[in-house]
Amino acid sequence: DVVMTQSPLSLPVTLGQPASISCRSSQSLVHSDGNTYLNWFQQRPGQSPRRLIYKVSNRASGVPDKFSGSGSGTDFTLQISRVEAEDVGVYYCMHHTHWPFTFGGGTKVEI
Amino acid sequence: EVQLVESGGGLVQPGGSLRLSCAVSGFTFSNSWMCWVRQAPGRGLEWVASINEDGSDKYYVDSVKGRFTISRDNAKNSLYLQMNSLRAEDTAVYYCARASRGAPEEYWGRGTLVTVSS
C-alpha cells in the first residue's frame, strides 16, 4: 500500500500570512493514464471533510483561490496564500492512483 | 440541495454486525461512484470501500475485506455498508460520500458513529 506522509503534524499560523503543508508518497502517484490522483481535504472542527484540491492542483467547486496545490511524482504541497480564522482545522492529502486508497495522517492548522 | 444522510450506527459487541445506510438526494445517484470513509475517535481519515455506478465493481481496504460489504440500491438512491465480525478497531464515525474514480469528492454526509465494545 502507498504510505502518505504529511508534515508538519501541527502548523501554527499567523492571520494574513501564508502557510504550506507537505505530503509525500512512498511511491509515484502517476497513473498509467498519465494523471496524478492526489487530493487535499479540509476538516474544520466538528465538521465533515471537504475536498479542496483534486488531481494535484485543481480547485474543487466553491474553493477560494487562496488555496493552491502543486507537486508531482511523490512530492506534493498545499499552500494557503493568506490564512484566515476560518482555515483552522485539519488538512489531509489522499491518493487514489492505486487501490487501496490512503490518506496522510493530517496536519492541524491553528492560529 | 444535495443531501447524504447516514444511519444505522450504534453500540455493538465485538463479533457483532451492523448495516449502515446512506440516503442520497440532490444528484443523480445512479450515475455516481460512492464510497465510505471512517474516522476513529481523535484520529485521521481512512478510506474504507468504494462502489461503481451499477454496483459491479467494489473495492475495500485490506482491514475490512471479507467482513464488510458495500452495496447500493439505485432505485432507492441508497448506499449501504454491511459490517460483520466487528472489532474494537472498527469503532469510528462512518461517512458516506459521492466519489470520483472511487475517491470522495465534494459531497459528504455528516457521519454515523459505530462503537464496538462489550
Side-chain angles (χ1 to χ4, degrees), chain A residues 6-68:
Chain A
Q6 288 184 232
S7 61
L9 293 181
S10 177
L11 181 60
V13 297
T14 302
L15 293 176
Q17 294 300 304
S20 179
I21 299 170
S22 170
C23 174
R24 289 183 173 163
S25 57
S26 60
Q27 59 184 270
S28 173
L29 298 185
V30 180
H31 192 270
S32 57
D33 65 8
N35 289 305
T36 300
Y37 294 103
L38 185 284
N39 298 344
W40 288 96
F41 294 85
Q42 174 196 60
Q43 188 175 29
R44 291 170 170 153
Q47 294 189 13
S48 301
R50 164 199 184 195
R51 189 176 71 166
L52 296 177
I53 302 288
Y54 63 95
K55 287 197 288 184
V56 180
S57 59
N58 298 275
R59 271 188 300 278
S61 175
V63 174
D65 59 9
K66 64 180 175 180
F67 291 100
S68 62

Side-chain angles (χ1 to χ4, degrees), chain B residues 37-81:
Chain B
V37 174
R38 67 184 178 184
Q39 186 168 34
R43 305 295 296 273
L45 301 173
E46 180 181 37
W47 169 79
V48 175
S50 297
I51 187 169
N52 71 339
E53 297 91 336
D54 65 5
S56 59
D57 289 332
K58 304 175 184 182
Y59 300 88
Y60 302 91
V61 67
D62 287 350
S63 60
V64 309
K65 278 181 185 175
R67 301 187 300 123
F68 290 12
T69 302
I70 189 171
S71 63
R72 65 192 297 159
D73 185 335
N74 286 346
K76 294 183 177 180
N77 283 357
S78 292
L79 175 72
Y80 306 102
L81 186 67

Side-chain angles (χ1 to χ4, degrees), chain B residues 16-108:
Chain B
S17 299
L18 275 180
R19 188 195 195 206
L20 305 185
S21 298
C22 174
V24 170
S25 61
F27 64 86
T28 306
F29 180 74
S30 59
N31 289 349
S32 302
W33 277 75
M34 297 294 295
C35 69
W36 290 95
V37 174
R38 67 184 178 184
Q39 186 168 34
R43 305 295 296 273
L45 301 173
E46 180 181 37
W47 169 79
V48 175
S50 297
I51 187 169
N52 71 339
E53 297 91 336
D54 65 5
S56 59
D57 289 332
K58 304 175 184 182
Y59 300 88
Y60 302 91
V61 67
D62 287 350
S63 60
V64 309
K65 278 181 185 175
R67 301 187 300 123
F68 290 12
T69 302
I70 189 171
S71 63
R72 65 192 297 159
D73 185 335
N74 286 346
K76 294 183 177 180
N77 283 357
S78 292
L79 175 72
Y80 306 102
L81 186 67
Q82 177 66 45
M83 305 186 296
N84 299 330
S85 303
L86 282 161
R87 307 166 180 167
E89 54 265 35
D90 296 318
T91 295
V93 173
Y94 284 74
Y95 297 99
C96 69
R98 193 175 81 170
S100 175
R101 201 182 167 275
E105 48 172 51
E106 274 86 338
Y107 302 125
W108 293 63

